[in-house]
């Protein structure tokens, strides 16, 4: 088997990061923040600063938005669809060619295991571009017969929505950044992208690759910085036509309010508290490991993490024991440590949050079946928490109702076989992002799938995102959809044109 990375590449990356702060990418050029300010970038595996990045604020966002507007009115606006597709395919190739560096940056920055970084950051991003490149030449309007007197030729146009502000979180930084820009570019929009302050590095690298691919200046601008400064400036800016955001429900709500200024279009992909329902006839050899990795994968920092496990009482002990056994053997460590299956949490803030939730669970009467504590000592200098399984958890407890965004599983049993009763329990959440169902009886599986209030339902299969499959939330998990046709169309405005003949 090939080694996941070469140590000399890692040394080069580290030296390069230590040498100078990462800069903003505005109008095709790398520039420092107008204020000259930078912020520290911390390795979550060690808690140590290993890089820094320009701290963009209102002035930088304004320059980026103006550059994006010029590109929209100029070179990018005039680029024909097939050429847009070609550039996007070129960028996909460059991402793959730079895959090792991107995966290392992602793993250092976010803490995720290098193999996950390779798969999620590099391959996932390239596939987002390839899928959406196909749409560039396939965005169409329709012809319509209006019922007005006389004879008419009426049709719709789908035009780019304009300048898009893309705000992404830190849990899958690179693939999310690419998943935001790819459909927007296909639709003919220009972009101001802001990565999360915890994980700016792969987005900056993306800027280099965008320049190398030959996109016109200003087509994609990348401003690193804090949410309250750079992020808020995007949402407030009257020159931004749409904001696409992935992150917390509370920030999503703040964005909705702020977007009212100029009625920006808004797509929001927010939190979740996704149920996993295991029926007594399920294939447990598959369901148990999937339930475990559905919450421990990426240390639970996944919007669609299966954080509420519902198991039929006849197999409850067996399933919980199985998940607990997996937790006990899970190799927790730094993302670059060979064999690591689960990395650290992204930040001290996230560690405090997750440990706070575990403590609240204990206070509210939950039992910690396994885990429950911070991991410390040799090799665990950063923000490590044990994979945790809670039992005795019921709706109404904070650990069951609120998004933890850590490797903490709540477990509930159901005795009733009535699908409506099971659906009611699974739907007892203000969120509605995803759900998993495990059963060999497809009639039960599909009946439950229809009753679940969530944007994504999987039967007998685990996680993963596909650029063709719409992704988004019911209820407080968001507004609109990303991916698929809906994801591209979300970057267009419809115009109805009528000619009296
Ligand atoms: P957050 O939602 O505050 O941050 C996500 C992004 O939004 C970052 O780029 C941040 O800089 C930006 N941002 C923050 N405040 C902003 C504002 N006022 N205006 C514009 N942009 C702003 O999430 P945070 O604080 O990092 O994490 C808190 C919790 O959010 C997590 O524990 C988790 O529950 C949830 N979360 C959910 C994610 C998802 O994929 N649905 C991703 C990240 C966090
Ligand atoms: Mg926040």
């Amino acid at each position: 088997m090939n080694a996941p990375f070469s140590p000399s590449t890692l040394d080069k990356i580290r030296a390069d990061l230590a040498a100078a702060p990462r800069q903003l990418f505005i109008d095709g050029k790398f520039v420092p923040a107008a204020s000259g300010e930078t912020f520290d970038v911390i390795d979550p595996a060690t808690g140590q600063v290993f890089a820094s990045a320009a701290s963009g604020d209102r002035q930088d966002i304004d320059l980026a938005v103006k550059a994006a507007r010029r590109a929209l009115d100029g070179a990018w606006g005039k680029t024909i669809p097939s050429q847009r597709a070609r550039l996007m395919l070129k960028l996909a190739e460059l991402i793959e060619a730079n895959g090792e560096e991107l995966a290392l940056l992602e793993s250092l920055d976010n803490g995720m295991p290098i193999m996950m970084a390779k798969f999620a950051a590099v391959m996932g991003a390239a596939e987002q571009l390839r899928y959406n490149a196909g749409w560039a030449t396939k965005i169409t309007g329709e012809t319509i017969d209006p019922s007005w007197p006389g004879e008419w030729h009426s049709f719709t146009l789908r035009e780019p929505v304009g300048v898009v502000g893309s705000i992404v979180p830190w849990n899958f930084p690179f693939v999310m950044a690419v998943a935001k820009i790819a459909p927007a570019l296909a639709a003919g929009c220009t972009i101001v992208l802001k990565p999360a302050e915890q994980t700016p590095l792969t987005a900056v690298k993306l800027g280099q690759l965008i320049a190398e691919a030959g996109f016109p200046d200003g087509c994609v601008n990348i401003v690193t910085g804090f949410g309250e400064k750079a992020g808020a400036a995007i949402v407030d800016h009257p020159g931004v036509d749409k904001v696409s955001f992935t992150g917390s429900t509370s920030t999503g709500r703040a964005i909705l309010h702020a977007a009212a200024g100029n009625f920006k279009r808004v797509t929001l992909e927010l939190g979740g508290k996704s149920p996993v329902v295991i029926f007594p006839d399920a294939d447990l050899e598959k369901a148990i490991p999937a339930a475990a990795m559905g919450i421990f994968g990426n240390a639970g920092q996944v919007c669609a993490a299966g954080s509420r496990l519902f198991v039929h009482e006849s197999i409850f002990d067996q399933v919980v024991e199985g998940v607990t056994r997996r937790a006990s053997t899970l190799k927790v460590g730094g993302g670059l440590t060979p064999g690591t299956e689960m990395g650290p949490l992204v930040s001290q803030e996230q560690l405090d949050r997750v440990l706070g939730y575990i403590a609240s669970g204990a206070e509210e009467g939950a039992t910690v079946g396994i885990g429950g504590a911070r991991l410390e000592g040799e090799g665990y200098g950063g923000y490590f928490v044990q994979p945790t399984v809670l039992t005795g958890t019921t709706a109404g407890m904070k650990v069951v109702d609120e998004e933890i965004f850590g490797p903490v599983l709540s477990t509930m049993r159901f005795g009733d076989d009535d699908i409506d009763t099971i659906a009611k329990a699974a739907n007892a959440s203000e969120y509605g992002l995803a759900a998993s169902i495990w059963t060999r009886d497809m009639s039960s599986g599909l009946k439950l799938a229809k009753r679940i209030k969530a944007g994504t339902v999987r039967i007998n299969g685990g996680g993963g995102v596909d650029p063709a499959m719409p992704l988004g939330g019911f209820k407080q998990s968001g507004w609109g959809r990303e991916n698929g046709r809906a994801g591209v169309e979300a970057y267009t405005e419809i115009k109805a044109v009528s000619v009296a003949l």
Side-chain angles (χ1 to χ4, degrees):
M1 202 184 93
N2 293 338
F5 63 90
S6 92
S8 68
T9 310
L10 176 61
D11 290 345
K12 244 188 276 162
I13 290 172
R14 283 194 183 282
D16 183 47
L17 290 169
R22 305 296 91 175
Q23 294 188 314
L24 313 178
F25 181 65
I26 297 178
D27 208 10
K29 284 170 267 315
F30 279 96
V31 292
S35 68
E37 280 179 35
T38 61
F39 63 92
D40 289 340
V41 183
I42 294 171
D43 177 350
T46 61
Q48 304 296 313
V49 176
F50 73 106
S52 64
S55 181
D57 64 16
R58 217 156 270 278
Q59 294 178 70
D60 307 292
I61 292 296
D62 189 51
L63 291 172
V65 171
K66 286 182 174 141
R69 179 65 58 187
R70 281 194 302 275
L72 184 73
D73 293 342
W76 189 244
K78 294 187 178 68
T79 303
I80 57 174
S82 63
Q83 178 61 7
R84 295 206 299 268
R86 218 181 290 246
L87 285 165
M88 291 170 70
L89 293 172
K90 174 80 186 157
L91 181 58
E93 268 173 36
L94 287 173
I95 284 172
E96 281 179 348
N98 288 269
E100 184 181 26
E101 180 180 350
L102 283 165
L104 282 167
L105 284 171
E106 191 85 325
S107 181
L108 284 168
D109 211 359
N110 160 280
M112 71 173 66
I114 182 78
M115 295 311 280
M116 181 179 239
K118 280 193 161 180
F119 186 75
V122 179
M123 284 164 65
E127 287 315 308
Q128 276 285 348
L129 281 158
R130 293 204 172 99
Y131 172 80
N132 282 291
W135 275 115
T137 51
K138 291 161 200 75
I139 296 168
T140 55
E142 51 191 352
T143 57
I144 300 164
D145 249 344
S147 298
W148 302 322
E151 198 175 335
W152 291 85
H153 177 60
S154 296
F155 57 96
T156 57
L157 295 173
R158 276 200 183 263
E159 299 181 352
V161 69
V163 173
V164 175
S166 302
I167 302 175
V168 292
W170 40 261
N171 54 336
F172 290 96
F174 187 68
V175 70
M176 288 217 195
V178 173
K180 291 255 186 271
I181 69 164
L185 290 170
C189 296
T190 57
I191 297 134
V192 177
L193 170 73
K194 194 200 83 65
E197 51 270 41
Q198 295 85 349
T199 54
L201 301 180
T202 46
V204 177
K205 180 71 194 173
L206 177 64
Q208 274 176 29
L209 300 181
I210 284 169
E212 197 178 329
F215 283 88
D217 292 346
C219 182
V220 180
N221 305 274
I222 299 166
V223 179
T224 51
F226 290 91
E228 315 81 73
K229 287 164 106 189
I234 289 175
V235 186
D236 284 344
H237 202 294
V240 174
D241 301 298
K242 171 175 174 123
V243 170
S244 179
F245 169 78
T246 301
S248 65
T249 293
S250 63
T251 299
R253 192 170 284 115
I255 286 174
L256 271 188
H257 284 289
N262 67 340
F263 287 90
K264 287 180 179 66
R265 280 67 184 127
V266 177
T267 299
L268 302 171
E269 214 263 271
L270 308 176
K273 193 75 191 179
S274 298
V276 176
V277 181
I278 306 185
F279 284 87
D281 71 338
D283 179 351
L284 297 185
E285 303 249 317
K286 291 196 177 126
I288 290 172
M293 291 323 286
I295 187 68
F296 303 140
N298 208 25
Q301 302 168 123
V302 179
C303 54
S307 46
R308 291 183 298 143
L309 180 64
F310 294 91
V311 188
H312 191 269
E313 61 186 6
S314 62
I315 52 164
F316 180 84
D317 289 344
Q318 188 188 349
V319 170
V320 170
E321 268 167 39
V323 174
T324 303
R325 209 170 315 118
R326 186 71 188 92
S328 71
T329 60
L330 200 71
K331 190 152 184 318
V332 183
L336 302 181
T337 306
T340 289
E341 294 175 291
M342 187 180 106
L345 297 171
V346 75
S347 63
Q348 180 70 48
E349 188 186 357
Q350 205 55 27
L351 178 69
D352 293 343
R353 218 183 138 85
V354 171
L355 292 175
Y357 271 114
I358 295 170
S360 90
E363 274 160 34
E364 291 188 303
T367 304
V368 178
I370 189 168
R374 180 177 186 174
L375 270 163
E376 284 174 290
E378 181 70 34
Y380 295 104
Y383 314 120
F384 293 93
V385 66
Q386 295 172 323
T388 300
V389 178
L390 304 176
T391 57
T393 40
T394 51
M397 291 181 175
K398 275 173 62 177
V399 284
V400 178
D401 293 354
E402 296 179 19
E403 181 175 59
I404 299 175
F405 229 59
V408 183
L409 183 66
S410 295
T411 57
M412 277 73 65
R413 62 182 84 215
F414 62 89
D416 207 309
D417 292 323
D418 175 51
I419 300 282
D420 287 308
T421 311
I422 299 168
K424 197 171 166 207
N427 287 332
S429 171
E430 59 191 32
Y431 293 113
L433 195 58
S436 301
I437 300 166
W438 294 85
T439 175
R440 287 189 169 98
D441 172 7
M442 235 8 80
S443 178
S444 299
L446 286 169
K447 276 184 184 165
L448 184 56
K450 286 175 134 191
R451 285 161 176 74
I452 293 267
K453 304 248 179 292
T456 294
V457 181
R458 297 255 170 86
I459 302 177
N460 296 339
V465 171
D466 188 285
M469 291 296 287
L471 179 80
F474 283 38
K475 299 192 271 185
Q476 294 189 32
S477 289
W479 267 19
R481 293 293 178 272
E482 300 192 276
N483 293 344
R485 175 194 288 268
V488 179
E489 289 184 348
Y491 289 99
T492 64
E493 289 279 8
I494 297 176
K495 181 182 286 174
V497 183
S498 290
V499 188
L501 301 179

